[in-house]
Amino acid sequence: MQALYSQLLIGLINGSFYALLSLGLSLIFGLLNIVNFAHGAFFMLGAFAAPLLLEHLGIGYWGSLLIVPPVLALGGMVLQRIVLRPLQELDHLYGLLATFGFALIVQGLMQIGFGSAGLPYAIPSALQGGQNLGFMLLPNYRGFVILVSLAVCASVYLLVERTRLGALLRAATENAERLSSFGINVPRLVTLSYGLGVGLAALAGLLAAPMLQVRPLMGADLMIVVFAVVVIGGMGSILGSIVTGYSLGVIEGLTRYFYPEASNTILFVLMALVLAVRPNGLFGRREA
Amino acid sequence: MTDRARASSGLEIQGLHAFYGQSHVLRGVDLSVKPGQLVAILGRNGAGKSTLIKSIMGLIKKCSGQIRLGDVDLLGRPADQIARMGLAWVPEDRGIFASLTVAENLRLPPILASDAPDEAALFALFPALHERLNTPGTRLSGGEQQMLALARMLRTGARTLLLDEPTEGLAPLIVAQIGEIIAQLKRSGYTLLLVEQNLQWIAPLADHLYVLEQGRIVDECASEDFEGRLPSLIAHLGL
Amino acid sequence: MRDKAMKPHIASTRDWRFILFTGLILVLALVPLLGWVYPYFIMQALCFALFASAFNLLIGHAGLASFGHAMFFGTGGYICAHALKVWAVPPHWAVVFALIATLILGLCVGLIAIRRQGIYFSMTTLALAQMLYFVYLQSPFTHGEDGIQGFSRGHLFGLFDLNQTYVLYYLILLLFFLGHVLIARIIHSPFGDVLQAIGQNETRAQSLGYETARFKALAFVLSAGLAGLAGAMKALVTQTASLSDVHWSMSGDVILMVVMGGMTTFLGPILGGFLFAAMLQYLSVLGQWVIVAQGTIFLACVVMFRQGLIGTLARRLRRSL
């Protein structure tokens, strides 16, 4: 049983990353209509930021948590403004290729700088140790990651569904031209939502830094799984992204316990099944 | 900016050409809406009426000619800037966002002028909206959606309104209600440019009528001459 | 929309491609006699070029941006290598097996992937390719990280010893030629016209009464088979089949080849394949900088140079190339 619980825990952790990443992808997709292939690169940069800030500036985990997501979000907004905005009117393929190219550059540079093996990063001292839940031992940091990601997912949900900014985002997703005719600067909104999505990816990376190995390809490999998650859930709804993210993480964890050989492929198999039965995904509303 | 939105500005269009993809939709349109006037553009489907409105709003990329709101040339400005000058567009399909509630739809556009009507005043004008604030926008009936679309733009304080077929697909009773509201707006000094197909309804309201055909103004008359010109107007519209 | 205004309607514009392609084949046929180019470089380039052309059948003509085409390239290589090494069949059968396997794989993947459009299609193909990558990583016949290597190429039809460099060279050139003839035939068939129509506006093609799903599936299968053929050729040339050919980065590489050369052109992917092979050959001293260079070329092509080299040239010359 112990092993089952710990696989479930890992599933929830992975699910947290899936949810944060697919949430950002959905936000970006809603307004830019592109798949952000650079998402994994921002995740990786978020993870790398933690050990680098510690080593060079002496900034610890908590400081990084405050600094890294906004800074990378800003970087994302610059990328969107300079590279992606001019491509917006063209076939969406170009936006996708541009983000892919950007991801290659970033990954390549990080490989040159830090090798493929990556950097170690310790769990912050306040979160070391664990809680004995009776049926299992819950490492504090893992519990922290799950709580933070749940809180962030809930906040993003509330932001989009309950605030004026969220109403603007939803309206722009539905019909950007119409919204601009109301006196709203839609391009600025698009840049902002790209930044928001990137910030979420950076946060996920930072959360992952003490747990996963911080290496240049960590984001790219994870993103392919997240793409499967997104195809299963559909990018139409915020809640859908969150729910699919967590539940697929758990399903993957269960598979690792019951049939470990399939744990790498289960999500892709599920994706194929969902496509066969419900081509638009479980929560999908509209076609790209 | 606030000042310009407050004063009801007139609209002067000269030699407007507009292209939609390969097709040349507007072929030199001249028209003028004086401050405080209600001007209607009549024409059959495909005459270019909606394109004309969209060109004014800066939503047609390929345009040439002149469009002036007060003393500002609008051509080439982005749509959101044009809107913030106090020009409000109520599109043919009402433009209600399905993923937004009535309240969110209503409060979506930014307020442009300090003397913009407050919500109490709007609900007095459109009582049906008040009790349905939390329903999704597209659950409203066609008439209610039109009311919401109007209320939404009035709330910004814009004083020059572009209404694209406001009566289309609505029951006669609602059409009459909308007529009353429009007449009231005109009395309070709004400048209105309407696109319509319903001649009987618009004739008594309008100060001036234009007939658009194949991208050109082919006929026009002032309200004093309606009676005499009715047969030729009807002929143009193919009624 | 991508620039597809260059779609040929006049027979004479086709001649340029025909002349240039024939010229290329003739020059390549003479290469062994000249002896100043390393034949294995040309052979690798031909494999990549055919792979790129196969891929371009989808992206350039049907508007389908597959991000998982490495699965066909890599599978072709694995099957060919496995057939040679374990089943010890002659090379022509190894290539045929590889072709059949990738056609079947293409059919399975295609039927799933074409259920979604646009970027969902891209994500789906990428995810399915990654799934296959994990399968290959775990299954014993691929020998995991080591790959399949150390096999003899055997005798073609019992006559031609493919272990002799120039015999192999002409076989690869022939397969390259035949593959492109097939692609040219596809593009200029009524089927190709429908693909083009789908690529430009799928809804309109549907409203014209075409069952676009079937056309897309067939295009996908054909493209997969040709990519598999290219993979089998590469296995013959390099005498290895490894995970790197199924990895997602190879799917990215083939997109790079097509974008560099020019989507929607016939000769662009060929040039792209040669440029890519040259990058591997001559830039390998740069190590990881190659990836940075690739990313930069990607960005530069997309931002400033969307027609690619051949596409830009074609525009200058006002010809289809």
Side-chain angles (χ1 to χ4, degrees):
Chain A
M1 277 322 262
Q2 197 69 28
L4 175 61
Y5 288 132
S6 78
Q7 289 303 344
L8 268 178
L9 179 65
I10 294 175
L12 269 179
I13 297 269
N14 284 336
S16 306
F17 296 138
Y18 298 162
L20 286 174
L21 290 168
S22 63
L23 198 54
L25 279 185
S26 297
L27 276 175
I28 292 171
F29 172 72
L31 272 86
L32 283 89
N33 246 305
I34 61 163
V35 190
N36 184 30
F37 270 63
H39 221 62
F42 285 111
F43 173 85
M44 177 265 292
L45 287 177
F48 263 99
L52 292 180
L53 283 178
L54 183 66
E55 191 188 322
H56 297 290
L57 299 173
I59 296 173
Y61 184 80
W62 305 106
S64 304
L65 209 53
L66 281 180
I67 298 170
V68 173
V71 168
L72 281 175
L74 212 62
M77 284 157 80
V78 172
L79 173 74
Q80 191 277 336
R81 184 68 188 74
I82 293 174
V83 177
L84 299 181
R85 190 183 286 180
L87 300 174
Q88 190 112 57
E89 304 276 299
L90 304 167
D91 195 307
H92 303 312
L93 178 65
Y94 292 115
L96 190 151
L97 292 179
T99 54
F100 183 73
F102 175 79
L104 282 185
I105 295 175
V106 173
Q107 279 162 16
L109 289 176
M110 296 308 270
Q111 272 175 319
I112 293 161
F114 305 99
S116 294
L119 304 175
Y121 188 65
I123 292 174
S125 53
L127 292 172
Q128 276 164 3
Q131 303 294 321
N132 197 336
L133 300 181
F135 55 91
M136 70 176 296
L137 187 76
L138 172 69
N140 283 340
Y141 187 74
R142 304 204 160 194
F144 170 77
V145 167
I146 294 172
L147 286 180
V148 169
S149 74
L150 276 175
V152 170
C153 285
S155 321
V156 173
Y157 175 77
L158 290 177
L159 173 78
V160 172
E161 296 296 330
R162 295 279 182 273
T163 65
R164 170 166 171 79
L165 178 63
L168 288 174
L169 291 176
R170 273 175 286 145
T173 303
E174 234 181 275
N175 190 336
E177 180 183 85
R178 185 64 41 85
L179 187 64
S180 71
S181 79
F182 289 171
I184 306 288
N185 188 337
V186 174
R188 207 156 60 195
L189 210 56
V190 170
T191 306
L192 186 73
S193 74
Y194 192 82
L196 193 58
V198 166
L200 286 172
L203 174 71
L206 194 64
L207 289 173
M211 272 188 308
L212 307 181
Q213 211 176 11
V214 179
R215 55 189 182 86
L217 284 182
M218 66 190 292
D221 292 342
L222 182 61
M223 275 328 283
I224 300 178
V225 183
V226 174
F227 286 152
V229 171
V230 161
V231 174
I232 293 173
M235 288 197 282
S237 104
I238 296 291
L239 198 60
S241 302
I242 301 172
V243 171
T244 339
Y246 281 102
S247 39
L248 289 178
V250 170
I251 289 174
E252 201 183 31
L254 290 175
T255 314
R256 203 172 291 119
Y257 177 75
F258 289 108
Y259 190 62
E261 292 83 358
S263 63
N264 278 331
T265 45
I266 177 73
L267 293 188
F268 303 119
V269 174
L270 275 180
M271 180 192 79
L273 286 177
V274 167
L275 281 174
V277 183
R278 265 189 76 113
N280 285 332
L282 299 179
F283 297 89
R285 267 185 281 176
R286 67 203 182 97
E287 196 59 295
Chain B
M1 189 74 44
T2 325
D3 256 58
R4 205 170 279 144
R6 240 200 57 68
S8 167
S9 310
L11 205 56
E12 295 288 334
I13 297 176
Q14 270 162 18
L16 180 65
H17 289 259
F19 302 81
Y20 218 88
Q22 301 285 5
S23 52
H24 192 169
V25 184
L26 298 182
R27 299 154 179 266
V29 172
D30 301 297
L31 66 83
S32 117
V33 189
K34 303 268 177 301
Q37 260 193 341
L38 192 163
V39 169
I41 300 166
L42 300 158
R44 301 185 219 197
N45 284 331
K49 296 177 307 222
S50 292
T51 305
L52 175 58
I53 299 281
K54 283 188 171 181
S55 312
I56 299 172
M57 286 310 297
L59 295 171
I60 305 285
K61 293 265 139 55
K62 278 165 76 181
C63 271
S64 65
Q66 208 178 43
I67 305 173
R68 303 181 75 82
L69 178 69
D71 48 9
V72 190
D73 196 349
L74 299 183
L75 210 69
R77 289 176 192 267
D80 60 306
Q81 239 184 62
I82 293 175
R84 281 197 301 269
M85 290 175 177
L87 196 56
W89 172 45
V90 178
E92 191 178 353
D93 62 6
R94 338 288 192 216
I96 305 300
F97 291 99
S99 57
L100 274 60
T101 64
V102 170
E104 284 174 328
N105 264 295
L106 184 66
R107 292 167 193 155
L108 202 58
I111 289 183
L112 305 168
S114 51
D115 65 342
D118 59 10
E119 285 184 11
L122 288 175
F123 293 140
L125 203 57
F126 306 98
L129 298 179
H130 194 204
E131 54 226 53
R132 313 209 50 185
L133 280 177
N134 290 318
T135 34
T138 42
R139 285 280 176 78
L140 299 181
S141 69
E144 288 167 332
Q145 287 194 26
Q146 185 64 57
M147 305 280 185
L148 174 56
L150 258 173
R152 176 166 66 182
M153 296 327 293
L154 291 178
R155 181 181 160 276
T156 64
R159 304 281 290 173
T160 307
L161 307 181
L162 308 176
L163 310 183
D164 196 348
E165 307 222 11
T167 62
E168 195 198 13
L170 300 182
L173 199 67
I174 313 278
V175 173
Q177 264 180 41
I178 290 182
E180 275 165 37
I181 291 168
I182 288 176
Q184 205 175 321
L185 291 176
K186 191 182 144 190
R187 281 199 299 278
S188 12
Y190 283 84
T191 304
L192 294 121
L193 178 63
L194 271 84
V195 158
E196 255 306 326
Q197 301 211 46
N198 188 341
L199 179 61
Q200 267 98 11
W201 175 74
I202 195 66
L205 293 167
D207 298 306
H208 202 96
L209 290 180
Y210 288 93
V211 177
L212 191 67
E213 208 172 280
Q214 292 182 332
R216 289 191 184 88
I217 300 287
V218 292
D219 201 358
E220 62 174 296
C221 68
S223 59
E224 308 87 73
D225 311 329
F226 280 158
E227 298 290 329
R229 300 290 298 279
L230 210 55
S232 90
L233 290 174
I234 288 176
H236 274 304
L237 294 173
L239 293 172
Chain C
M1 283 278 100
R2 266 160 282 156
D3 187 21
K4 282 174 188 147
M6 308 291 286
K7 166 74 179 155
H9 289 294
I10 315 152
S12 68
T13 61
R14 234 166 100 180
D15 292 348
W16 275 63
R17 284 175 286 184
F18 177 73
I19 293 165
L20 286 169
F21 183 68
T22 316
L24 174 73
I25 296 288
L26 288 176
V27 169
L28 289 174
L30 293 174
V31 160
L33 306 178
L34 302 173
W36 39 261
V37 187
Y38 186 51
Y40 281 93
F41 166 72
I42 302 274
M43 285 191 264
Q44 275 219 36
L46 290 174
C47 299
F48 286 131
L50 180 59
F51 183 24
S53 291
F55 176 73
N56 193 42
L57 197 56
L58 281 187
I59 198 168
H61 296 279
L64 291 169
S66 161
F67 259 78
H69 246 50
M71 70 179 130
F72 306 117
F73 190 63
T75 299
Y78 270 135
I79 300 294
C80 178
H82 185 75
L84 285 171
K85 184 172 185 175
V86 180
W87 300 337
V89 298
H92 46 278
W93 284 116
V95 172
V96 169
F97 289 152
L99 200 54
I100 293 172
T102 46
L103 285 171
I104 293 173
L105 181 65
L107 184 66
C108 300
V109 173
L111 286 180
I112 296 170
I114 58 159
R115 294 182 65 90
R116 295 304 294 270
Q117 288 162 0
I119 53 184
Y120 281 101
F121 174 83
S122 305
M123 288 192 289
T124 306
T125 46
L126 177 58
L128 289 172
Q130 185 74 352
M131 173 170 98
L132 201 67
Y133 175 82
F134 282 123
V135 170
Y136 285 149
L137 182 68
Q138 287 170 351
S139 51
F141 94 95
T142 62
H143 299 278
E145 308 274 354
D146 300 333
I148 308 176
Q149 38 184 312
F151 50 86
S152 165
R153 297 187 186 106
H155 287 65
L156 188 70
F157 306 120
L159 293 171
F160 307 104
D161 182 3
L162 293 184
N163 295 309
Q164 288 181 5
T165 303
Y166 289 113
V167 177
L168 179 67
Y169 181 88
Y170 284 110
L171 172 69
I172 296 296
L173 186 60
L174 179 69
L175 288 174
F176 169 85
F177 174 71
L178 291 177
H180 279 87
V181 169
L182 179 65
I183 290 171
R185 292 297 292 266
I186 294 172
I187 296 173
H188 295 113
S189 68
F191 170 71
D193 292 338
V194 178
L195 281 189
Q196 194 88 19
I198 292 173
Q200 278 165 8
N201 187 338
E202 182 168 359
T203 326
R204 196 173 56 206
Q206 263 166 351
S207 67
L208 289 174
Y210 291 111
E211 246 187 272
T212 56
R214 276 168 57 187
F215 285 91
K216 284 174 7 182
L218 183 55
F220 197 90
V221 171
L222 287 168
S223 171
L226 284 163
L229 174 64
M233 284 157 56
K234 184 168 177 255
L236 274 178
V237 171
T238 59
Q239 286 180 290
T240 49
S242 69
L243 277 173
S244 65
D245 285 348
V246 232
H247 193 250
W248 59 260
S249 56
M250 181 52 83
S251 298
D253 291 341
V254 75
I255 301 176
L256 180 65
M257 297 176 216
V258 170
V259 170
M260 273 194 301
M263 283 187 262
T264 76
T265 64
F266 180 72
L267 299 171
I270 300 177
L271 179 65
F274 272 83
L275 287 176
F276 181 76
M279 262 159 86
L280 284 190
Q281 183 90 3
Y282 300 108
L283 299 184
S284 60
V285 286
L286 298 178
Q288 299 296 346
W289 284 105
V290 175
I291 299 179
V292 180
Q294 286 178 357
T296 312
I297 294 172
F298 245 115
L299 263 188
C301 283
V302 169
V303 174
M304 308 180 293
F305 211 51
R306 277 183 285 277
Q307 262 111 21
L309 290 168
I310 297 286
T312 308
L313 188 67
R315 221 158 124 119
R316 282 278 162 78
L317 300 174
R318 296 168 190 283
R319 301 269 171 190
S320 287
L321 290 176

